[in-house]
Amino acid sequence: MNPAVKYTLARLGLFVLIFAALLPVPMDIFLKLILALAFSAAISWFFLRTWRDQMAQQLADRVDKRREDKARLRSALAGEDDPPATAKG
């Protein structure tokens, strides 16, 4: 499964789980939503770190690939034989 989808579904699941746990507590619904959002963000920061790192790595790989493709296309349009070396950093 795609790491971004996995991470997003886990974050959403945590939010729903915490919100459902707060439903019996007698307080305003908006306060429950805010608390559920804050608690789910804090919990996901620690427990979903691996999936978040996988998602970030996947995004970084896509950016690098697009950069390389762009350099290759520019080189081809300029009529150069060899594409320029891409600088990482």
Side-chain angles (χ1 to χ4, degrees), residues 7-8 21 29-30 37 39 44 48 57 62 69 72 78 84:
Y7 178 72
T8 303
I29 190 78
F30 294 113
L37 184 64
F39 287 141
S44 70
L48 300 180
Q57 184 60 46
R62 284 185 186 175
D69 291 345
R72 195 174 310 119

Side-chain angles (χ1 to χ4, degrees), residues 15-64:
F15 173 77
V16 169
L17 184 71
I18 293 171
F19 181 72
L22 288 174
L23 278 177
V25 178
M27 67 174 74
D28 187 41
I29 190 78
F30 294 113
L31 184 57
K32 290 178 188 179
L33 288 170
I34 291 170
L35 286 174
L37 184 64
F39 287 141
S40 67
I43 291 171
S44 70
W45 179 258
F46 295 106
F47 292 110
L48 300 180
R49 180 179 184 175
T50 304
W51 290 350
R52 184 176 60 247
D53 291 344
Q54 289 173 357
M55 181 179 71
Q57 184 60 46
Q58 180 189 31
L59 292 174
D61 292 344
R62 284 185 186 175
V63 167
D64 289 343

